[in-house]
Amino acid sequence: MRKAARKAYEDIAVIARSGGEIATLAPLLCRLTRGYVGAAAVALFWMDEEGRPVGFHHEDSPAEARDLFANEFHRLFVGPDEINVASLSRRSERNVGHLIAPPASYYRSNTYNLLVRPSGHHHALDLRVDISCRARIVVLAFREHGRPFGMEEARLFQGLEAILASASLGSLAERWIARSPQGHLVVDADARTIRFLDAAGAGMLAQCSLVGQGVRLVGTPSVVPHFIADLCRAARNTRLPASGIAMVPVGRLAMCAQEMTVPSEAGAGAFIVTLEQQVPLSRAALDMVMETRLSPTQKHLLVAAARGQRRNEAAAELGVSPEALKKHLAVVYSTLDLHGWDDIADRVRRHAAP
């Protein structure tokens, strides 16, 4: 394995084993995987327990293509000639390389003509990652016409399977911080139509690459996404503010919906929904150290500190002796000009501040 690929492999392992949710980690994983296999772009999809796509991050596809996948998946991209994340998640004979030499029908499919080709790609390499015997992650790498993938890249891709299988698919203990100012939208009394949406809220919704949730990724949305509609109905039923979160590639979208008080003569009421984009400190720590010369163990320690773990807990998790721990932490503190374990989370928080 060439030196650059080895470095990317080690960093992918640090990211996947950081404890963060796969949705939050997707952009970093895609960037490093692109360099690892020499791709033009990479996309990562996370699946539900039935192998259906829940959300995705695609590095360079047009907004129109992402919108089609998110909102028209079952109408346009399911069928015998559609080789994509859904069909790949059901294939059991092998978990890598189905798209290295696809059948001719693939190039007539909606998947190729509406998603792959508009992004400027032609060749693809696929990897399915099973967790608890179910397909839960699919990674696709792309190249332009004339640069096909081969068995060498397929072997490299295969090497990521065990690493990605260690990534988290559920919420673990995290410290979350706001990444940007809050956004707001006003929803009609039926929780169907958006009456008002500010620029900050529109920007946050445009990053919600979630499948089947009714989030429009092109233009100004007018229809309420399903997860926000559910929140509004909960607020109406309880007469109390309702809170929720949606995991997205930039972290998570924290939401709060409450009924607006309006004079009786004003007619039907409405809901006001507050949106806040948040990032976990573990992810911010990864952003901060990926370009440093710290070793994988030292990067793991920094992420553990950002997550709120104690030094002895992190050392035990990594199998590091007390003597080795002191040496690793000395390098971390010196490299990042830190003054101790408790200083790490504060430094990461300042780094992540908008």
Side-chain angles (χ1 to χ4, degrees):
M1 187 183 297
R2 67 187 191 280
K3 185 176 181 180
R6 169 58 63 182
K7 172 68 164 53
Y9 180 88
E10 292 174 347
D11 283 343
I12 291 169
V14 171
I15 293 168
R17 294 167 180 161
S18 68
E21 284 208 31
I22 193 67
T24 300
L25 302 174
L28 267 177
L29 288 171
C30 286
R31 176 171 65 83
L32 289 167
T33 301
R34 169 167 34 93
Y36 177 61
V37 296
V42 170
L44 187 149
F45 305 78
W46 50 100
M47 328 289 286
D48 64 17
E49 292 187 354
E50 304 303 319
R52 296 172 299 217
V54 173
F56 63 96
H57 175 72
H58 195 304
E59 288 192 299
D60 68 349
S61 62
E64 292 79 7
R66 296 196 303 274
D67 188 80
L68 278 178
F69 186 87
N71 294 296
E72 303 292 344
F73 178 79
H74 293 289
R75 184 174 71 87
L76 295 175
F77 305 111
V78 176
D81 295 329
E82 303 296 333
I83 306 177
N84 55 42
V85 56
S87 60
L88 291 170
S89 71
R90 296 192 298 269
R91 297 193 175 194
S92 58
E93 66 274 21
R94 67 179 190 275
N95 69 335
V96 66
H98 293 280
L99 286 168
I100 288 181
S105 58
Y106 167 74
Y107 296 105
R108 299 190 295 270
S109 69
N110 286 335
T111 296
Y112 178 77
N113 288 290
L114 297 180
L115 301 178
V116 178
R117 192 168 65 175
S119 302
H121 306 141
H122 180 78
H123 303 287
L125 177 64
D126 55 281
L127 173 68
R128 185 191 76 245
V129 179
D130 295 340
I131 301 176
S132 299
C133 301
R134 294 177 182 271
R136 301 301 301 273
I137 300 171
V138 172
V139 188
L140 296 173
F142 300 97
R143 283 178 179 170
E144 63 273 18
H145 199 288
R147 293 186 62 225
F149 291 99
M151 293 309 300
E152 179 182 356
E153 291 90 352
R155 284 191 293 271
L156 286 174
F157 233 27
Q158 183 83 58
L160 297 181
E161 180 187 7
I163 291 176
L164 294 177
S166 67
S168 173
L169 293 168
S171 297
L172 300 178
E174 284 279 15
R175 297 174 174 182
W176 296 85
I177 59 173
R179 193 69 179 264
S180 60
Q182 291 182 338
H184 301 86
L185 63 156
V186 176
V187 174
D188 70 357
D190 294 327
R192 294 180 180 176
T193 303
I194 297 175
R195 291 184 178 179
F196 168 81
L197 176 64
D198 65 15
M204 293 180 201
L205 291 179
Q207 297 183 64
C208 290
S209 299
L210 303 174
V211 179
Q213 289 292 326
V215 185
R216 304 310 310 195
L217 304 180
V218 177
T220 302
S222 59
V223 178
V224 180
H226 300 331
F227 54 84
I228 292 179
D230 291 342
L231 213 58
C232 292
R233 285 190 283 268
R236 180 175 58 207
N237 291 338
T238 62
R239 300 296 179 182
L240 295 170
S243 300
I245 59 171
M247 301 307 301
V248 295
V250 291
R252 73 180 184 184
L253 195 63
M255 303 166 286
C256 181
Q258 57 185 349
E259 283 190 288
M260 299 176 66
T261 302
V262 296
S264 57
E265 64 271 17
F271 299 91
I272 183 166
V273 182
T274 302
L275 307 176
E276 185 175 81
Q277 189 181 96
Q278 299 177 344
V279 62
L281 282 189
S282 63
R283 167 59 198 274
L286 290 169
D287 286 337
M288 193 171 78
V289 301
M290 276 300 107
E291 303 307 321
T292 69
R293 298 179 65 85
L294 295 175
S295 72
T297 296
Q298 291 156 5
K299 291 175 182 177
H300 276 297
L301 286 169
L302 192 140
V303 172
R307 285 180 56 82
Q309 284 185 285
R310 297 177 180 175
R311 285 194 306 180
N312 58 344
E313 294 173 337
E317 188 176 273
L318 292 169
V320 175
S321 69
E323 294 76 17
L325 176 63
K326 290 180 181 179
K327 293 179 180 179
H328 284 304
L329 288 179
V331 175
V332 171
Y333 299 155
S334 173
T335 300
L336 299 175
D337 191 24
L338 296 167
H339 304 294
W341 184 264
D342 294 333
D343 190 32
I344 291 177
D346 289 338
R347 173 64 61 82
V348 174
R349 188 178 286 106
R350 292 196 299 271
H351 175 81

